[in-house]
Amino acid sequence: MTRPPLNRRLAEFGTTIFAEMSALAARTGAINLGQGFPDTDGPEEIREAAVRALRDGRGNQYPPGPGVPELRSAVADHQRERYGLAYDPDTEVLVTAGATEAIAAALLALIEPGDEVVALEPYYDSYAACVAMAGGTRVPVTLRPHEGVRGGATDRRYVLDLDELRAAVTDRTRLILLNTPHNPTGTVLTRAELTAVAELAIERDLLVVTDEVYEHLVFDGAEHVPIASLPGMRERTVTIGSAGKTFSFTGWKVGWATGSRELVTAVRTAKQYLTYVSAGPFQYAIAEALRLPAAYFDTLRADLQRKRDLLGDGLRAAGFEVYQPQGTYFITTDITPLGEKDAHAFCCALPERCGVVAIPNAVFYDDPDAGRTQVRFAFCKKDDVLHEAADRLRRLAS
Ligand code: GLN
């Protein structure tokens, strides 16, 4: 059989671009700036906390379905202390196997076949697959680069067109799927943008699922605003977070969802039949991580901002147009100034041409023409790796 026996709902999906590009990096020995994972593990004391939990027999057998109480209360405290959002750790917090499972469980729980889901495009690849598995229809609203002034400097940032968002909502729309800070563009939605989204959700009685896994990775003083914290939104919003991004342990797959009791109960119902529970010992370690002092989060942010600038300067010197990200650990670029027209072909040839792997953004669009010349680079890597990548990319000019 040459084609796998996939059901119709998944027929348009193959291997994820991240797996494909990481395999290409492994095969060619190229520097992998494709899939977003740090090349340095998170804090040593948190690693040790996981080892301790394993040795002490905490979480080695099925932990409670909603997550261990220590982690649920740490998540609730985090949301309250940072954002003034109060959640009951027993009924309004759910621990999941990474944000990926939270997204899947939320969409499976909250949409009916035929419902429309409005999602920002370019979108993280699992959104399209999960909407499809739930039998929904995705309706993309495209973020576009826009000239703007921030902090006295001109930059081109991807922005949300609120008229387009409004026009995308129909009588069949069930929910808006948000992502801020946004992968792959690095845009951090502003309070004004989020207020407009909130007003629309209230006016049209929509649910919001918001993927905020990069909440701590914001730069240049940008503010991360959880939409759940805006008036009238707590009751209609499921907010998703992940230890993978905040603590640099992407392999542990610890994520969480917070929301009203009704919404979290719905998401938990779906989650029970996906994984039932998530890995126990890591939950205890992440409960400690969420209580690290502010200095941890400040250092993470400052380090990443420096890395953004290091890689951004390298990409500009190599001739790329760079869209300056205010958040995440990704930089989206345009390859048109290099005389290139097709990002997929460009990314497939890049390891051979200069020993670097990146992601073609076209895979994040319904209309591949929309992202035809955009390429995403991850900068969550050691400084010497970023310097070396920048040197290699400069060879493209010659
Ligand atoms: N979220 C990561 C990225 O955007 C990859 C995660 C994955 O491979 N599924 O690169």
Short mmCIF file of all heavy atoms in Angstrom, two decimals, residues 87-148:
data_model
loop_
_atom_site.label_atom_id
_atom_site.label_comp_id
_atom_site.label_asym_id
_atom_site.label_seq_id
_atom_site.Cartn_x
_atom_site.Cartn_y
_atom_site.Cartn_z
N TYR A 87 -8.40 31.10 39.79
CA TYR A 87 -8.98 29.81 39.40
C TYR A 87 -8.91 28.87 40.59
O TYR A 87 -7.90 28.84 41.32
CB TYR A 87 -8.21 29.19 38.22
CG TYR A 87 -8.40 29.94 36.93
CD1 TYR A 87 -7.36 30.68 36.37
CD2 TYR A 87 -9.63 29.93 36.28
CE1 TYR A 87 -7.54 31.38 35.19
CE2 TYR A 87 -9.82 30.63 35.10
CZ TYR A 87 -8.77 31.36 34.55
OH TYR A 87 -8.96 32.04 33.39
N ASP A 88 -9.94 28.08 40.76
CA ASP A 88 -9.96 27.08 41.81
C ASP A 88 -9.10 25.89 41.33
O ASP A 88 -9.42 25.27 40.32
CB ASP A 88 -11.42 26.64 42.04
CG ASP A 88 -11.51 25.49 43.03
OD1 ASP A 88 -10.46 24.97 43.47
OD2 ASP A 88 -12.65 25.10 43.34
N PRO A 89 -8.01 25.59 42.08
CA PRO A 89 -7.12 24.53 41.60
C PRO A 89 -7.81 23.17 41.50
O PRO A 89 -7.37 22.30 40.75
CB PRO A 89 -5.99 24.49 42.63
CG PRO A 89 -6.40 25.37 43.75
CD PRO A 89 -7.54 26.23 43.30
N ASP A 90 -8.89 22.98 42.21
CA ASP A 90 -9.56 21.67 42.17
C ASP A 90 -10.50 21.50 40.99
O ASP A 90 -10.72 20.39 40.52
CB ASP A 90 -10.35 21.44 43.47
CG ASP A 90 -9.40 21.22 44.64
OD1 ASP A 90 -8.28 20.73 44.40
OD2 ASP A 90 -9.77 21.58 45.77
N THR A 91 -11.06 22.60 40.51
CA THR A 91 -12.09 22.45 39.47
C THR A 91 -11.81 23.28 38.21
O THR A 91 -12.50 23.09 37.20
CB THR A 91 -13.47 22.89 40.01
OG1 THR A 91 -13.34 24.25 40.47
CG2 THR A 91 -13.93 22.01 41.15
N GLU A 92 -10.85 24.19 38.29
CA GLU A 92 -10.67 25.10 37.16
C GLU A 92 -9.26 25.04 36.56
O GLU A 92 -8.87 25.91 35.78
CB GLU A 92 -11.01 26.53 37.60
CG GLU A 92 -12.48 26.64 38.03
CD GLU A 92 -12.91 28.05 38.40
OE1 GLU A 92 -12.13 28.75 39.08
OE2 GLU A 92 -14.03 28.45 38.01
N VAL A 93 -8.49 24.02 36.96
CA VAL A 93 -7.14 23.83 36.42
C VAL A 93 -7.02 22.36 35.99
O VAL A 93 -7.42 21.47 36.73
CB VAL A 93 -6.06 24.14 37.48
CG1 VAL A 93 -4.66 23.86 36.92
CG2 VAL A 93 -6.16 25.58 37.97
N LEU A 94 -6.49 22.15 34.81
CA LEU A 94 -6.32 20.78 34.31
C LEU A 94 -4.89 20.64 33.77
O LEU A 94 -4.46 21.44 32.94
CB LEU A 94 -7.31 20.52 33.17
CG LEU A 94 -7.19 19.18 32.45
CD1 LEU A 94 -7.58 18.03 33.36
CD2 LEU A 94 -8.05 19.18 31.18
N VAL A 95 -4.18 19.62 34.27
CA VAL A 95 -2.83 19.35 33.76
C VAL A 95 -2.96 18.42 32.55
O VAL A 95 -3.76 17.48 32.56
CB VAL A 95 -1.96 18.70 34.86
CG1 VAL A 95 -0.60 18.29 34.31
CG2 VAL A 95 -1.81 19.66 36.04
N THR A 96 -2.18 18.70 31.51
CA THR A 96 -2.28 17.93 30.26
C THR A 96 -0.89 17.46 29.81
O THR A 96 0.12 17.92 30.34
CB THR A 96 -2.88 18.81 29.14
OG1 THR A 96 -2.07 19.99 29.02
CG2 THR A 96 -4.32 19.20 29.46
N ALA A 97 -0.89 16.55 28.85
CA ALA A 97 0.39 16.09 28.27
C ALA A 97 0.84 17.14 27.26
O ALA A 97 0.60 17.03 26.06
CB ALA A 97 0.20 14.73 27.61
N GLY A 98 1.45 18.20 27.77
CA GLY A 98 1.88 19.31 26.93
C GLY A 98 0.68 20.15 26.51
O GLY A 98 -0.48 19.76 26.69
N ALA A 99 0.99 21.32 25.95
CA ALA A 99 -0.08 22.16 25.42
C ALA A 99 -0.77 21.46 24.27
O ALA A 99 -1.96 21.67 24.02
CB ALA A 99 0.51 23.50 24.96
N THR A 100 -0.05 20.60 23.58
CA THR A 100 -0.63 19.91 22.42
C THR A 100 -1.88 19.13 22.83
O THR A 100 -2.90 19.18 22.13
CB THR A 100 0.42 18.95 21.81
OG1 THR A 100 1.59 19.71 21.52
CG2 THR A 100 -0.08 18.30 20.54
N GLU A 101 -1.79 18.42 23.96
CA GLU A 101 -2.98 17.68 24.38
C GLU A 101 -4.09 18.63 24.85
O GLU A 101 -5.28 18.36 24.63
CB GLU A 101 -2.65 16.69 25.50
CG GLU A 101 -3.84 15.77 25.74
CD GLU A 101 -3.85 15.07 27.07
OE1 GLU A 101 -3.25 15.58 28.04
OE2 GLU A 101 -4.47 14.00 27.15
N ALA A 102 -3.71 19.72 25.48
CA ALA A 102 -4.73 20.68 25.92
C ALA A 102 -5.49 21.24 24.72
O ALA A 102 -6.72 21.40 24.76
CB ALA A 102 -4.08 21.82 26.72
N ILE A 103 -4.78 21.53 23.64
CA ILE A 103 -5.42 22.05 22.43
C ILE A 103 -6.37 20.99 21.86
O ILE A 103 -7.53 21.27 21.55
CB ILE A 103 -4.34 22.42 21.37
CG1 ILE A 103 -3.49 23.59 21.86
CG2 ILE A 103 -4.97 22.73 20.01
CD1 ILE A 103 -2.14 23.73 21.13
N ALA A 104 -5.87 19.76 21.77
CA ALA A 104 -6.70 18.68 21.21
C ALA A 104 -7.93 18.46 22.07
O ALA A 104 -9.06 18.39 21.55
CB ALA A 104 -5.87 17.39 21.11
N ALA A 105 -7.73 18.36 23.38
CA ALA A 105 -8.86 18.07 24.27
C ALA A 105 -9.87 19.22 24.24
O ALA A 105 -11.08 18.99 24.23
CB ALA A 105 -8.35 17.83 25.69
N ALA A 106 -9.38 20.46 24.20
CA ALA A 106 -10.29 21.61 24.19
C ALA A 106 -11.13 21.59 22.91
O ALA A 106 -12.34 21.78 22.95
CB ALA A 106 -9.50 22.91 24.31
N LEU A 107 -10.49 21.34 21.78
CA LEU A 107 -11.24 21.38 20.52
C LEU A 107 -12.19 20.19 20.43
O LEU A 107 -13.35 20.33 20.02
CB LEU A 107 -10.28 21.43 19.33
CG LEU A 107 -9.50 22.76 19.26
CD1 LEU A 107 -8.41 22.69 18.20
CD2 LEU A 107 -10.42 23.94 18.99
N LEU A 108 -11.74 19.01 20.86
CA LEU A 108 -12.63 17.84 20.82
C LEU A 108 -13.82 18.03 21.75
O LEU A 108 -14.92 17.57 21.48
CB LEU A 108 -11.85 16.56 21.20
CG LEU A 108 -10.86 16.08 20.13
CD1 LEU A 108 -9.91 15.04 20.71
CD2 LEU A 108 -11.60 15.50 18.92
N ALA A 109 -13.56 18.71 22.87
CA ALA A 109 -14.63 18.87 23.86
C ALA A 109 -15.62 19.97 23.48
O ALA A 109 -16.80 19.87 23.82
CB ALA A 109 -14.02 19.20 25.22
N LEU A 110 -15.14 21.00 22.82
CA LEU A 110 -15.97 22.21 22.71
C LEU A 110 -16.62 22.42 21.35
O LEU A 110 -17.48 23.28 21.22
CB LEU A 110 -15.14 23.44 23.10
CG LEU A 110 -14.58 23.41 24.53
CD1 LEU A 110 -13.67 24.61 24.78
CD2 LEU A 110 -15.70 23.35 25.56
N ILE A 111 -16.18 21.68 20.33
CA ILE A 111 -16.85 21.93 19.03
C ILE A 111 -17.61 20.69 18.56
O ILE A 111 -17.26 19.56 18.87
CB ILE A 111 -15.89 22.47 17.95
CG1 ILE A 111 -14.82 21.47 17.60
CG2 ILE A 111 -15.26 23.77 18.37
CD1 ILE A 111 -13.86 21.99 16.55
N GLU A 112 -18.63 20.98 17.82
CA GLU A 112 -19.49 19.94 17.23
C GLU A 112 -19.12 19.83 15.76
O GLU A 112 -18.70 20.82 15.16
CB GLU A 112 -20.96 20.39 17.27
CG GLU A 112 -21.50 20.67 18.62
CD GLU A 112 -22.28 19.49 19.16
OE1 GLU A 112 -22.27 18.42 18.52
OE2 GLU A 112 -22.88 19.66 20.22
N PRO A 113 -19.35 18.65 15.17
CA PRO A 113 -19.10 18.55 13.73
C PRO A 113 -19.87 19.66 13.00
O PRO A 113 -21.04 19.92 13.32
CB PRO A 113 -19.66 17.16 13.38
CG PRO A 113 -19.53 16.38 14.66
CD PRO A 113 -19.76 17.38 15.77
N GLY A 114 -19.17 20.32 12.08
CA GLY A 114 -19.81 21.40 11.31
C GLY A 114 -19.57 22.78 11.89
O GLY A 114 -19.75 23.78 11.21
N ASP A 115 -19.15 22.85 13.14
CA ASP A 115 -18.86 24.17 13.73
C ASP A 115 -17.64 24.80 13.06
O ASP A 115 -16.70 24.09 12.67
CB ASP A 115 -18.53 24.03 15.24
CG ASP A 115 -19.79 23.85 16.08
OD1 ASP A 115 -20.90 24.01 15.55
OD2 ASP A 115 -19.62 23.52 17.28
N GLU A 116 -17.66 26.11 13.00
CA GLU A 116 -16.49 26.82 12.45
C GLU A 116 -15.62 27.34 13.58
O GLU A 116 -16.13 27.80 14.61
CB GLU A 116 -16.95 27.97 11.55
CG GLU A 116 -17.62 27.45 10.29
CD GLU A 116 -18.12 28.57 9.37
OE1 GLU A 116 -18.03 29.75 9.74
OE2 GLU A 116 -18.60 28.22 8.28
N VAL A 117 -14.31 27.23 13.35
CA VAL A 117 -13.33 27.71 14.31
C VAL A 117 -12.49 28.77 13.62
O VAL A 117 -11.82 28.49 12.62
CB VAL A 117 -12.41 26.56 14.79
CG1 VAL A 117 -11.30 27.08 15.68
CG2 VAL A 117 -13.24 25.50 15.51
N VAL A 118 -12.53 29.98 14.13
CA VAL A 118 -11.74 31.06 13.54
C VAL A 118 -10.36 31.03 14.19
O VAL A 118 -10.24 31.06 15.42
CB VAL A 118 -12.43 32.42 13.78
CG1 VAL A 118 -11.51 33.56 13.37
CG2 VAL A 118 -13.74 32.48 12.99
N ALA A 119 -9.32 30.90 13.36
CA ALA A 119 -7.96 30.81 13.90
C ALA A 119 -7.04 31.78 13.17
O ALA A 119 -7.20 32.02 11.97
CB ALA A 119 -7.43 29.39 13.75
N LEU A 120 -6.10 32.35 13.91
CA LEU A 120 -5.12 33.24 13.29
C LEU A 120 -4.22 32.43 12.36
O LEU A 120 -3.77 31.34 12.71
CB LEU A 120 -4.25 33.92 14.36
CG LEU A 120 -4.98 34.64 15.49
CD1 LEU A 120 -3.97 35.33 16.40
CD2 LEU A 120 -5.97 35.65 14.93
N GLU A 121 -3.96 32.99 11.20
CA GLU A 121 -3.08 32.35 10.23
C GLU A 121 -1.90 33.30 9.97
O GLU A 121 -2.15 34.51 9.88
CB GLU A 121 -3.87 32.11 8.94
CG GLU A 121 -3.11 31.39 7.86
CD GLU A 121 -3.89 31.39 6.52
OE1 GLU A 121 -4.18 32.49 6.00
OE2 GLU A 121 -4.18 30.31 6.03
N PRO A 122 -0.67 32.84 9.86
CA PRO A 122 -0.23 31.46 9.91
C PRO A 122 -0.53 30.81 11.27
O PRO A 122 -0.42 31.48 12.29
CB PRO A 122 1.28 31.56 9.66
CG PRO A 122 1.66 32.96 10.03
CD PRO A 122 0.46 33.78 9.70
N TYR A 123 -0.90 29.51 11.28
CA TYR A 123 -1.26 28.86 12.52
C TYR A 123 -0.33 27.69 12.81
O TYR A 123 0.17 27.02 11.91
CB TYR A 123 -2.72 28.38 12.51
CG TYR A 123 -3.11 27.67 11.25
CD1 TYR A 123 -2.69 26.37 10.99
CD2 TYR A 123 -3.88 28.31 10.28
CE1 TYR A 123 -3.03 25.73 9.83
CE2 TYR A 123 -4.23 27.67 9.11
CZ TYR A 123 -3.79 26.38 8.89
OH TYR A 123 -4.12 25.76 7.73
N TYR A 124 -0.14 27.44 14.10
CA TYR A 124 0.62 26.29 14.58
C TYR A 124 -0.04 25.03 14.04
O TYR A 124 -1.25 24.89 14.09
CB TYR A 124 0.64 26.32 16.11
CG TYR A 124 1.42 25.19 16.69
CD1 TYR A 124 2.74 24.99 16.33
CD2 TYR A 124 0.82 24.30 17.58
CE1 TYR A 124 3.45 23.93 16.83
CE2 TYR A 124 1.54 23.25 18.09
CZ TYR A 124 2.85 23.07 17.71
OH TYR A 124 3.55 22.01 18.21
N ASP A 125 0.76 24.09 13.55
CA ASP A 125 0.19 23.02 12.71
C ASP A 125 -0.85 22.14 13.40
O ASP A 125 -1.77 21.64 12.75
CB ASP A 125 1.31 22.18 12.07
CG ASP A 125 2.13 21.38 13.07
OD1 ASP A 125 2.02 21.65 14.30
OD2 ASP A 125 2.88 20.49 12.64
N SER A 126 -0.76 21.97 14.72
CA SER A 126 -1.71 21.06 15.35
C SER A 126 -3.13 21.63 15.36
O SER A 126 -4.10 20.89 15.50
CB SER A 126 -1.26 20.67 16.77
OG SER A 126 -1.64 21.63 17.72
N TYR A 127 -3.28 22.94 15.21
CA TYR A 127 -4.64 23.51 15.24
C TYR A 127 -5.49 22.94 14.11
O TYR A 127 -6.64 22.54 14.33
CB TYR A 127 -4.63 25.04 15.10
CG TYR A 127 -3.86 25.82 16.13
CD1 TYR A 127 -3.61 27.17 15.93
CD2 TYR A 127 -3.38 25.23 17.29
CE1 TYR A 127 -2.91 27.92 16.86
CE2 TYR A 127 -2.68 25.98 18.22
CZ TYR A 127 -2.44 27.32 17.99
OH TYR A 127 -1.74 28.06 18.90
N ALA A 128 -4.93 22.94 12.92
CA ALA A 128 -5.70 22.48 11.76
C ALA A 128 -6.07 21.01 11.93
O ALA A 128 -7.20 20.60 11.68
CB ALA A 128 -4.90 22.70 10.48
N ALA A 129 -5.11 20.22 12.38
CA ALA A 129 -5.36 18.78 12.53
C ALA A 129 -6.40 18.52 13.62
O ALA A 129 -7.27 17.67 13.47
CB ALA A 129 -4.06 18.05 12.84
N CYS A 130 -6.32 19.27 14.72
CA CYS A 130 -7.27 19.03 15.82
C CYS A 130 -8.67 19.51 15.47
O CYS A 130 -9.66 18.85 15.81
CB CYS A 130 -6.79 19.68 17.11
SG CYS A 130 -5.35 18.86 17.79
N VAL A 131 -8.78 20.62 14.76
CA VAL A 131 -10.09 21.08 14.31
C VAL A 131 -10.68 20.00 13.38
O VAL A 131 -11.85 19.62 13.50
CB VAL A 131 -10.01 22.44 13.57
CG1 VAL A 131 -11.32 22.79 12.88
CG2 VAL A 131 -9.61 23.55 14.55
N ALA A 132 -9.83 19.46 12.51
CA ALA A 132 -10.31 18.42 11.58
C ALA A 132 -10.74 17.16 12.35
O ALA A 132 -11.79 16.59 12.06
CB ALA A 132 -9.21 18.08 10.57
N MET A 133 -9.95 16.74 13.33
CA MET A 133 -10.31 15.53 14.09
C MET A 133 -11.63 15.71 14.82
O MET A 133 -12.38 14.77 15.02
CB MET A 133 -9.19 15.15 15.07
CG MET A 133 -7.99 14.55 14.37
SD MET A 133 -6.82 13.79 15.50
CE MET A 133 -5.82 15.16 15.98
N ALA A 134 -11.90 16.96 15.23
CA ALA A 134 -13.15 17.23 15.93
C ALA A 134 -14.32 17.41 14.95
O ALA A 134 -15.45 17.62 15.38
CB ALA A 134 -12.99 18.48 16.79
N GLY A 135 -14.02 17.35 13.66
CA GLY A 135 -15.09 17.48 12.67
C GLY A 135 -15.48 18.93 12.38
O GLY A 135 -16.50 19.19 11.75
N GLY A 136 -14.66 19.86 12.85
CA GLY A 136 -14.96 21.28 12.62
C GLY A 136 -14.36 21.77 11.31
O GLY A 136 -13.70 21.03 10.59
N THR A 137 -14.63 23.04 11.04
CA THR A 137 -14.08 23.68 9.84
C THR A 137 -13.25 24.86 10.30
O THR A 137 -13.72 25.69 11.07
CB THR A 137 -15.23 24.21 8.95
OG1 THR A 137 -16.09 23.12 8.66
CG2 THR A 137 -14.71 24.83 7.67
N ARG A 138 -12.02 24.95 9.83
CA ARG A 138 -11.20 26.10 10.24
C ARG A 138 -11.45 27.26 9.29
O ARG A 138 -11.61 27.07 8.08
CB ARG A 138 -9.72 25.73 10.30
CG ARG A 138 -9.11 25.39 8.98
CD ARG A 138 -7.62 25.10 9.11
NE ARG A 138 -7.06 24.76 7.82
CZ ARG A 138 -7.07 23.53 7.31
NH1 ARG A 138 -7.61 22.54 7.98
NH2 ARG A 138 -6.54 23.31 6.11
N VAL A 139 -11.46 28.44 9.88
CA VAL A 139 -11.66 29.66 9.09
C VAL A 139 -10.49 30.58 9.45
O VAL A 139 -10.45 31.14 10.55
CB VAL A 139 -13.01 30.32 9.46
CG1 VAL A 139 -13.19 31.63 8.70
CG2 VAL A 139 -14.16 29.36 9.17
N PRO A 140 -9.50 30.67 8.55
CA PRO A 140 -8.32 31.45 8.91
C PRO A 140 -8.52 32.96 8.77
O PRO A 140 -9.22 33.41 7.87
CB PRO A 140 -7.26 30.96 7.91
CG PRO A 140 -8.01 30.35 6.78
CD PRO A 140 -9.39 30.01 7.25
N VAL A 141 -7.90 33.68 9.70
CA VAL A 141 -7.82 35.14 9.58
C VAL A 141 -6.32 35.44 9.55
O VAL A 141 -5.60 35.13 10.48
CB VAL A 141 -8.48 35.84 10.78
CG1 VAL A 141 -8.24 37.34 10.73
CG2 VAL A 141 -9.98 35.55 10.79
N THR A 142 -5.89 36.02 8.44
CA THR A 142 -4.46 36.10 8.18
C THR A 142 -3.81 37.33 8.80
O THR A 142 -4.26 38.46 8.58
CB THR A 142 -4.22 36.08 6.64
OG1 THR A 142 -4.87 34.92 6.12
CG2 THR A 142 -2.75 36.02 6.30
N LEU A 143 -2.75 37.11 9.57
CA LEU A 143 -1.93 38.22 10.08
C LEU A 143 -1.02 38.67 8.94
O LEU A 143 -0.48 37.83 8.22
CB LEU A 143 -1.05 37.76 11.25
CG LEU A 143 -1.75 37.14 12.46
CD1 LEU A 143 -0.70 36.69 13.50
CD2 LEU A 143 -2.70 38.13 13.11
N ARG A 144 -0.87 39.99 8.80
CA ARG A 144 -0.03 40.49 7.70
C ARG A 144 0.98 41.50 8.21
O ARG A 144 0.69 42.25 9.15
CB ARG A 144 -0.90 41.15 6.63
CG ARG A 144 -1.82 40.16 5.96
CD ARG A 144 -2.33 40.68 4.61
NE ARG A 144 -3.10 39.62 3.97
CZ ARG A 144 -4.35 39.31 4.30
NH1 ARG A 144 -4.97 39.99 5.24
NH2 ARG A 144 -4.99 38.32 3.70
N PRO A 145 2.18 41.53 7.55
CA PRO A 145 3.19 42.48 7.99
C PRO A 145 2.71 43.92 7.77
O PRO A 145 2.07 44.21 6.77
CB PRO A 145 4.38 42.20 7.07
CG PRO A 145 4.10 40.91 6.42
CD PRO A 145 2.61 40.72 6.42
N HIS A 146 3.02 44.75 8.73
CA HIS A 146 2.52 46.11 8.71
C HIS A 146 3.61 47.01 9.27
O HIS A 146 4.22 46.69 10.28
CB HIS A 146 1.27 46.16 9.60
CG HIS A 146 0.54 47.45 9.54
ND1 HIS A 146 -0.31 47.77 8.51
CD2 HIS A 146 0.53 48.50 10.39
CE1 HIS A 146 -0.81 48.97 8.72
NE2 HIS A 146 -0.31 49.44 9.85
N GLU A 147 3.81 48.13 8.60
CA GLU A 147 4.80 49.11 9.05
C GLU A 147 4.29 49.74 10.35
O GLU A 147 3.12 50.13 10.39
CB GLU A 147 4.90 50.19 7.98
CG GLU A 147 6.22 50.91 7.90
CD GLU A 147 7.31 50.06 7.24
OE1 GLU A 147 7.06 49.33 6.26
OE2 GLU A 147 8.41 50.18 7.73
N GLY A 148 5.10 49.81 11.37
CA GLY A 148 4.61 50.43 12.60
C GLY A 148 5.75 51.07 13.37
O GLY A 148 6.92 50.86 13.05
#
